[in-house]
């Protein structure tokens, strides 16, 4: 990117990104936009953000639009991020569903799953619970979604470099759930991988995923406007089975919707139950 981003270009790009995927860029994030879009501008022989926006407005540019959204929504993640949700899952939710409806499949949705660390972490917790409680929760399916095609490709492979493995994963779980791959990485074991299905999904668009008992929508709502956040939480509510649970990020809250959810204190940690 040869030219500096003008205020007009930045405002226009903010509008494009919010309309396309709901992400609301804050003020003075020009450096982030430049770093994430530099390669795209170079590959398309463009000199400025304004040139890119002009190209995006032309018909037949759906693939470029996807690449831009992908670049702006790719984020790093961790294994067992924040810890509390996984403790709550293991100590409260899995035992509750194992007793509540033992013969019914348990369905869990990991929204904005990035490169797969969250849904695979859920799979590990389920596997550990099954070993503690033989015969319980035999049928568990995790649906993991993200808007980014590139992170979903990584997630589906289930193979990670050592630097990614070391971000939140204990040596014990690494030995238990991964095997060394031929190129020096680590491959998640088939019994965990087969538990998770990955799908492309824009949280602002229609959900065609079925019903869930638990939805994990963590550390993504902070990027949306208040109106979009309310819309997403309302539609997530519609995907939950009666008595199902919503788990948000540590810095996120409902900020309303008392008719849809009730707060459940887990000491420490808070989750929300469908009313």
């Amino acid at each position: 990117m040869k030219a500096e981003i003008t205020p007009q270009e930045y405002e226009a790009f903010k509008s494009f990104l919010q309309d396309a995927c709901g992400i609301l860029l804050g003020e003075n994030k020009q450096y982030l936009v430049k770093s994430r879009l530099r390669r795209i501008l170079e590959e398309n022989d463009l000199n400025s953000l304004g040139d890119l926006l002009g190209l995006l407005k032309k018909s037949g540019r759906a693939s470029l639009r996807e690449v831009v959204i992908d670049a702006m929504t790719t984020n790093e993640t961790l294994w067992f991020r924040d810890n509390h949700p996984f403790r709550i899952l293991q100590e409260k939710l899995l035992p509750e569903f194992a007793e509540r409806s033992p013969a019914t499949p348990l369905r869990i949705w990991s929204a904005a799953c990035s490169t797969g660390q969250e849904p695979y972490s859920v799979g590990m917790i389920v596997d550990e619970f099954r070993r503690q409680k033989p015969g319980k929760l035999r049928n568990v399916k995790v649906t993991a979604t993200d808007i980014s095609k590139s992170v979903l490709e990584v997630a589906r492979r289930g193979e990670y470099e050592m630097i990614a493995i070391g971000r939140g994963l204990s040596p014990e779980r690494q030995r238990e759930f991964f095997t060394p791959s031929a190129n020096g990485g680590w491959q998640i074991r088939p019994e965990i991988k087969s538990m998770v299905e990955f799908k492309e999904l824009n949280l602002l668009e229609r959900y065609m995923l079925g019903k869930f008992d638990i939805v994990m929508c963590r550390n993504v709502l902070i990027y949306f406007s208040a109106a979009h956040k309310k819309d997403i939480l309302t539609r997530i509510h519609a995907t939950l089975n009666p008595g199902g649970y919503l788990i948000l990020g540590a810095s996120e809250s409902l900020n309303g919707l008392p008719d849809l959810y009730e707060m459940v204190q887990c000491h420490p940690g808070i989750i929300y139950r469908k009313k």
Side-chain angles (χ1 to χ4, degrees):
M1 186 180 291
K2 298 178 182 178
E4 290 299 315
I5 298 175
T6 68
Q8 294 78 13
E9 287 174 336
Y10 186 63
E11 288 302 317
F13 184 73
K14 283 174 62 179
S15 296
F16 160 79
L17 195 63
Q18 186 170 10
D19 290 343
C21 61
I23 288 182
L24 183 60
L25 278 175
E27 300 302 320
N28 303 315
K29 297 289 185 180
Q30 289 89 337
Y31 69 93
L32 178 66
V33 174
K34 287 187 68 172
S35 65
R36 294 199 172 187
L37 298 184
R38 180 177 285 108
R39 181 180 57 82
I40 296 173
L41 266 69
E42 291 174 353
E43 290 176 350
N44 289 274
D45 197 25
L46 302 172
N47 290 324
S48 69
L49 184 60
D51 291 343
L52 177 61
L53 287 166
L55 199 57
L56 287 168
K57 291 178 182 177
K58 295 181 179 180
S59 61
R61 294 293 177 174
S63 60
L64 178 61
R65 176 188 173 98
E66 287 182 4
V67 170
V68 170
I69 294 172
D70 192 65
M72 294 303 302
T73 56
T74 301
N75 294 291
E76 292 187 8
T77 187
L78 306 173
W79 303 96
F80 299 93
R81 184 175 181 177
D82 300 327
N83 192 44
H84 291 322
F86 299 97
R87 179 190 57 79
I88 293 168
L89 184 66
Q90 190 164 36
E91 297 178 3
K92 173 180 170 55
L93 300 187
L94 294 185
E96 178 179 324
F97 282 104
E99 297 304 321
R100 186 197 296 186
S101 50
T104 304
L106 177 65
R107 296 200 68 214
I108 301 172
W109 175 16
S110 169
C113 68
S114 190
T115 46
Q117 280 86 336
E118 179 176 273
Y120 286 140
S121 295
V122 171
M124 294 179 216
I125 291 291
V126 170
D127 187 80
E128 291 170 350
F129 179 83
R130 285 171 170 169
R131 279 181 277 154
Q132 294 170 357
K133 305 286 186 181
K136 300 288 188 180
L137 295 180
R138 293 180 178 177
N139 191 346
V140 178
K141 291 300 296 183
V142 181
T143 299
T145 65
D146 202 279
I147 193 174
S148 168
K149 289 184 177 180
S150 64
V151 299
L152 288 173
E153 289 174 1
V154 175
R156 288 189 181 102
R157 286 197 299 270
E159 184 178 347
Y160 301 89
E161 296 178 356
M162 190 62 218
I163 190 170
I165 287 289
R167 291 172 60 82
L169 190 69
S170 69
E172 294 78 15
R173 280 178 168 146
Q174 180 184 342
R175 289 191 296 269
E176 182 69 34
F177 296 109
F178 290 82
T179 56
S181 60
N183 59 6
W186 290 84
Q187 179 70 52
I188 196 156
R189 290 187 180 276
E191 59 267 28
I192 305 301
K193 190 176 182 181
S194 64
M195 203 182 301
V196 185
E197 179 184 22
F198 292 96
K199 295 184 177 182
E200 185 180 348
L201 179 75
N202 184 335
L203 285 172
L204 296 184
E205 297 176 356
R206 189 179 179 187
Y207 304 167
M208 300 286 288
L209 302 171
K211 291 286 190 176
F212 297 94
D213 303 292
I214 301 168
V215 175
M216 303 179 78
C217 184
R218 305 191 308 130
N219 307 304
V220 63
L221 294 177
I222 54 175
Y223 299 109
F224 291 97
S225 68
H228 280 143
K229 176 180 174 180
K230 183 177 181 180
D231 175 61
I232 291 168
L233 289 170
T234 300
R235 287 191 287 143
I236 286 176
H237 178 271
T239 73
L240 281 167
N241 284 321
Y245 291 94
L246 167 66
I247 303 176
L248 299 179
S251 62
E252 297 167 323
S253 63
L254 289 181
N255 289 332
L257 303 177
D259 295 336
L260 301 185
Y261 298 95
E262 61 177 326
M263 184 185 297
V264 179
Q265 293 278 357
C266 295
H267 308 290
I270 296 170
I271 60 176
Y272 302 90
R273 183 163 47 219
K274 177 176 181 173
K275 284 188 174 180

